[in-house]
């Protein structure tokens, strides 16, 4: 018996009057995750598409795989570098170490986040929504690999409930859920999110890796500048490759670019928003560099920290970003410019991308409103002329 036939045979038990009707939302969630729903709307005007939101989420997850795989390798690379044993480490050993170090974070993110989603759906008697499929993998990639699992679980619970479910669930949230996790951790547990040691796992994992000396310190390039350094020792090649300390998925520009190509080619993400972020960030970085306010070159700002990752995977979130075509340009420009402003002018927070995107999320509805009203006014004037 095929899986499809088996699920169809079980379905009557979860329908109204069935023994397991209380768990219908759970069954529907698994069913629609495995197969495209074989349903059409009963009324109203509808457009039938070959892809549903779960498939869209799946493509986003696939686009994140290059950044995740490289991040795993970089975890092992930074561990070997911190211990002074880089010559003894192998590529496979470093990747295996990173995989085992990151795996608990991924599991906690999905188990806790989906657990909250399932419990909320059961409580409200609603269908389980699919938005957390992407947030679940984004969260481990934008957090330090050394983040304690209990704090990660607490942040996920907070973000899913107060950042998503109370607004009505997937498609109704105002702020990016993954970024709310990072914001919660940053403000509630700042020592777990900042400092030289949080970005590098300095202990062995399941017998793999190396123990770094107790005196080990390794700040991120942006952290060095925020600490008062006039220049950074990291080369542009390392910035682009990603062999630098930082959040797991945010360091490699090449891996992020592969994900961007997938998202743009499939039409899932807006290239206008992405380009707007880089234009806004580049313009503001040029301004600060020319005035001497920043010791970094403008292009270094664009390849360091979470700028590229945020521009590709966070700013393009279709729910929390602008939806009008003109609004996408404005939204992207504001996010990019704000990220550089926070970096340069706030020494206590050298990253900037998280706050910039959350600020952009807050402004997105107003931007779209202004764009729509402007279009309405222009059309009304043309109608009056005629």
């Amino acid at each position: 018996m095929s899986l499809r036939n088996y699920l169809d045979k079980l379905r009557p038990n979860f329908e109204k009057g069935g023994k397991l009707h209380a768990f219908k939302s759970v069954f529907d969630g698994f069913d629609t995750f495995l197969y495209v729903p074989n349903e059409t709307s009963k009324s109203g005007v509808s457009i039938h598409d070959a892809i549903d939101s779960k498939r869209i989420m799946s493509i986003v997850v696939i686009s994140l795989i290059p950044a995740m795989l490289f991040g795993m390798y970089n975890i092992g690379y930074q561990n070997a570098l911190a211990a002074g044993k880089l010559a003894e480490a192998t590529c496979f050993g470093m990747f295996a170490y990173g995989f085992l170090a990151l795996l608990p974070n991924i599991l906690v993110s999905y188990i806790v986040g989906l657990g909250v989603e399932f419990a909320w759906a059961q409580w409200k008697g609603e269908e389980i929504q699919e938005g957390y499929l992407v947030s679940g993998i984004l969260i481990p990639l934008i957090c330090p690999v050394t983040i304690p699992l209990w704090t990660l679980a607490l942040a996920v619970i907070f973000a899913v409930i107060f950042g998503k479910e109370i607004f009505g669930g997937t498609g109704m949230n105002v702020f990016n859920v993954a970024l709310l996790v990072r914001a919660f951790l940053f403000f509630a547990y700042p020592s777990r999110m900042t400092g030289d040691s949080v970005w590098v796992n300095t202990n062995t994992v399941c017998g793999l890796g190396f123990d770094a000396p107790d005196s080990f310190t390794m700040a991120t390039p942006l952290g060095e500048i925020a600490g008062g350094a006039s220049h950074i020792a990291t080369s542009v090649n390392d910035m682009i490759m990603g062999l630098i300390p930082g959040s797991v998925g945010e360091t490699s520009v090449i891996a992020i670019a592969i994900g961007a190509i997938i998202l743009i080619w499939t039409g899932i993400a807006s290239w206008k928003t992405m380009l707007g972020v880089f234009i806004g960030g580049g313009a503001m970085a040029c301004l600060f560099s020319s005035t001497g306010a920043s010791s970094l070159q403008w292009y270094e700002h664009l390849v360091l920290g979470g700028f590229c990752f945020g521009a590709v995977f966070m700013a393009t979130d279709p729910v929390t970003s602008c939806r009008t075509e003109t609004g996408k340009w404005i939204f992207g420009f504001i996010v990019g410019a704000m990220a550089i402003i926070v970096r340069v002018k706030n020494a206590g927070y050298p990253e900037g991308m998280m706050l910039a995107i959350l600020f952009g999320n807050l402004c997105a509805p107003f931007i779209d409103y202004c764009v729509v009203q402007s279009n309405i006014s222009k059309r009304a004037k043309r109608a009056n002329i005629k």
Side-chain angles (χ1 to χ4, degrees):
M1 180 184 294
S2 67
L3 180 59
R4 176 69 272 170
N5 291 336
Y6 180 70
L7 291 174
D8 289 339
K9 185 178 180 180
L10 290 177
R11 178 169 290 280
N13 296 315
F14 295 90
E15 298 294 344
K16 189 173 182 179
K19 301 177 182 177
L20 302 175
H21 176 64
F23 300 97
K24 183 178 187 300
S25 59
V26 177
F27 178 82
D28 287 340
F30 281 113
D31 190 4
T32 56
F33 177 78
L34 295 171
Y35 296 97
V36 176
N38 187 27
E39 298 177 359
T40 57
S41 59
K42 300 294 189 297
S43 62
V45 179
S46 303
I47 299 176
H48 184 73
D49 197 353
I51 186 170
D52 66 349
S53 54
K54 284 189 175 64
R55 273 66 202 172
I56 293 175
M57 299 296 108
S58 299
I59 293 174
V60 178
V61 171
I62 291 171
S63 70
L64 285 163
I65 289 177
M68 181 182 67
L69 294 179
F70 183 87
M72 292 176 176
Y73 172 80
N74 192 43
I75 292 171
Y77 178 89
Q78 297 300 327
N79 170 261
L81 185 63
K85 302 292 182 64
L86 194 57
E88 303 175 21
T90 64
C91 290
F92 177 77
M94 289 187 287
F95 177 81
Y97 174 87
F99 172 81
L100 293 175
L102 185 62
L103 183 61
N105 294 12
I106 296 175
L107 291 177
V108 167
S109 175
Y110 271 115
I111 292 173
V112 174
L114 289 176
V116 173
E117 292 251 2
F118 276 49
W120 191 277
Q122 283 295 110
W123 176 49
K124 302 290 288 185
E126 299 172 348
E127 180 182 352
I128 295 174
Q129 299 170 337
E130 62 281 344
Y132 196 78
L133 291 176
V134 172
S135 299
I137 193 65
L138 280 173
I139 290 168
L141 297 185
I142 63 174
C143 291
V145 67
T146 57
I147 192 74
L149 297 181
W150 69 269
T151 58
L152 180 62
L154 185 62
V156 169
I157 293 172
F158 170 85
V160 173
I161 294 178
F162 293 100
K164 179 181 176 184
E165 297 300 345
I166 63 172
F167 288 102
T170 300
M172 304 297 290
N173 50 297
V174 177
F175 298 103
N176 185 289
V177 175
L179 284 177
L180 282 180
V181 170
R182 182 169 173 135
F184 178 88
L185 291 171
F186 180 81
F187 291 108
Y189 304 98
S191 63
R192 307 289 189 179
M193 295 293 291
T194 59
D196 295 340
S197 62
V198 299
W199 310 109
V200 180
N201 195 327
T202 56
N203 302 314
T204 57
V205 177
C206 297
L208 297 175
F210 307 95
D211 288 320
D214 294 336
S215 59
F216 161 79
T217 59
M218 186 182 292
T220 64
L222 289 174
E224 293 177 19
I225 296 297
S230 58
H231 68 281
I232 56 177
T234 306
S235 67
V236 176
N237 287 338
D238 283 344
M239 296 177 194
I240 295 175
M241 284 291 297
L243 297 174
I244 57 177
S247 295
V248 178
E250 296 180 346
T251 61
S252 175
V253 176
I254 295 175
I256 294 169
I258 295 172
I261 292 171
I262 294 174
L263 292 177
I264 294 173
W265 180 60
T266 55
I268 301 300
S270 170
W271 64 269
K272 296 178 182 178
T273 302
M274 292 185 199
L275 186 56
V277 174
F278 284 102
I279 292 175
M284 192 58 62
C286 284
L287 177 62
F288 283 132
S289 296
S290 63
T291 58
S294 175
S295 59
L296 292 177
Q297 297 296 323
W298 67 270
Y299 53 84
E300 291 178 323
H301 273 292
L302 302 187
V303 297
L304 280 177
F307 194 93
C308 286
F309 192 89
V312 172
F313 298 110
M314 299 291 195
T316 56
D317 179 6
V319 175
T320 58
S321 63
C322 285
R323 304 186 184 188
T324 58
E325 297 305 310
T326 302
K328 292 174 182 177
W329 287 106
I330 299 172
F331 174 85
F333 188 92
I334 290 175
V335 168
M338 179 64 69
I340 303 303
I341 291 173
V342 174
R343 280 185 181 182
V344 175
K345 293 301 181 181
N346 185 359
Y349 186 60
E351 174 51 62
M353 200 61 180
M354 176 192 76
L355 294 179
I357 296 177
L358 290 176
F359 177 78
N361 293 161
L362 187 64
C363 296
F366 179 70
I367 295 172
D368 277 340
Y369 173 81
C370 291
V371 171
V372 170
Q373 291 301 313
S374 176
N375 291 336
I376 291 174
S377 297
K378 290 178 181 178
R379 292 179 182 180
K381 290 179 180 178
R382 288 199 299 267
N384 291 335
I385 290 174
K386 293 179 180 180

